[in-house]
Amino acid sequence: MAEGGEVSMAEYNKFMAEGQTFEQGSNYAQAVECYTQALEAISVGGVLQDDIGKHCYCMRSRCYLKIGQHDEALQDAESALNMDKDLITGIYAKAEALYFKGDFEFALLFYHIGNQMRPDMKKFKLGIQKAREAIDNAIGSTKKCTLTTEGDLTMFHQGLEATAGKKRVGGQRRKGTARNRSARPGPQTNDKTVKQLLGELYADRAYLESLVNDPSLRLGQGGDIKTLAASGLQYLDKRTEFWRQQKPIYVREQERKEQKGRISTRTSRMATAGKPKKRPVTQEAKTKAQSDLERALQAYRSMRPDKCIEACEDVLRVIKSPETRDEREIVGLAHSLKGASLYAKENYQEALKEHTMDLDVSVEDRYRMRALCQIARCNAIIGELREAASAWVQAAGMQIGDLTAAWLHHELGRCYLELGDVNEALDSALAGLDAAELAESREWTLYLTILKAQAQEQNNQRTEAYHTFKAAAELAGDLYKRDLKNALLKAAQDAQHANPDAIQEERESHMDLSAQDGGGDGNDDADGYSDDGDDDDDDGGDGDGDGEGDGEDDGDAQDQGAGDA
């Protein structure tokens, strides 16, 4: 709890940073403690005083799942949703907690809710898939079971009549039996089933069970050891029950049979296959290609494009038809470096061909995204904005981090803005803002807010553009970008002066504030900002609110998002 009944944001930020460090190091118990202290730092009397705590609840929920405390994880997720019912990380945290508790139906519901809100986030689609598989495994498949009314059903009808008679005559006795049955523990899983479910963990369970039953641990420190062993044993039993519901034994056996069948088919195909038509790349040739590729990297970093192109061509002469994953990575990087060097020489068409070949040969998503982003850059600079937008859309649909997603949506929105598709540009800005919030990047929040304001202005939403430019100017001030702040304030004034309704709204707002404060001197400007002569933007701002007046270069973000060589 905050000392003296005051909220300490400094303490909150400190504990949040420590918690994230522990979480990245897989020290989840320490991370839970740090997140708890962070929540206490912004709480007074056990009540949170700032909505920023909702993000801390989601992070602590994620750590609780890692240490097997599913009830606490669910409680934290619900606390975050109570503060913001549309918080996407809270919805995902609740879906995950319900899934690991074994409530697959409710987990499926929240996965669907998250997927409807953010269809671009693949983890909701994966959640829907795994929840459906768990439900199918738990109830079994009905495809192989068909009930008919054919044949002699006399015994079936006699059994129904006998059951009905017992219910009428012995109702009181059956009620007592049901009560006794509910008091008994659930069905016990036999040792063979437990061994199949736990796999390698079965030996650990047997060791913990021997510690719990060891009579020599009753004295001294033995009580603490037995307590820890019992806690570990209880955790393994919970995991066993969860895995039994998620994927029963009969499903595992069926999958094992199918896997054996696939192995047998593949083995027979390999045995009957003829000799390979192409000779594989020798280890000596692969070593030479790697040496040439390192030479190309050094030339590229030292900004010698001709030397880089020469080294890349040496690589491509050694490995002409890549077959293995390693060979594809080497050839793909060679095409990427050659394309980047051609781009530096302003040979954009040839650069585009090289990046297209990089896309064709690459297998992993990170390398394909690298190629797509470079293809988009080449298309954008030669004026093929539709092709550039298409490449960025493909890259944004891959499994990427939140920070990379923020950059991609910004680039895509700028492209749509140049094409005049303001609605698509506005949608890209909003999606990028969500990603920037998840990544907790105020820098990209600023740039995407500027993009949103420009899209609103081009869409003749002058009032909304005015308020968005002011919000961006405030954020630029918080980030100590004075040039950009002045440019954004000028853009807000331009949007306001183009819309008389916004001027009247601002004037009425200031009149209301003056009345509450006991009146004013009547010299305030209509837009709420005094004219101090700085509107000329003498620090280098261009006044168009495009985020370029501060001299910041987005190239670092491009390198980070695209995996630029």
Side-chain angles (χ1 to χ4, degrees), residues 128-138 245-248:
I128 292 172
Q129 181 180 353
K130 69 181 182 182
R132 284 177 175 172
E133 290 177 356
I135 293 172
D136 292 340
N137 292 335
Q245 295 181 26
Q246 182 192 36
K247 187 175 290 186

Side-chain angles (χ1 to χ4, degrees), residues 319-375:
I319 305 178
K320 297 181 180 180
S321 301
E323 296 292 338
T324 65
R325 181 180 293 270
D326 292 340
E327 294 170 5
R328 287 177 174 271
E329 289 181 10
I330 293 173
V331 172
L333 183 54
H335 282 301
S336 181
L337 287 171
K338 185 178 179 182
S341 299
L342 290 168
Y343 186 94
K345 296 183 65 175
E346 300 182 355
N347 193 347
Y348 305 120
Q349 294 289 354
E350 293 299 322
L352 180 59
K353 293 179 181 178
E354 293 296 327
H355 291 307
T356 303
M357 286 188 282
D358 177 21
L359 179 64
D360 294 336
V361 78
S362 297
V363 177
E364 297 186 20
D365 280 353
R366 54 177 177 167
Y367 300 134
R368 292 181 61 81
M369 189 187 73
R370 172 191 66 195
L372 285 169
C373 292
Q374 297 295 346
I375 288 172

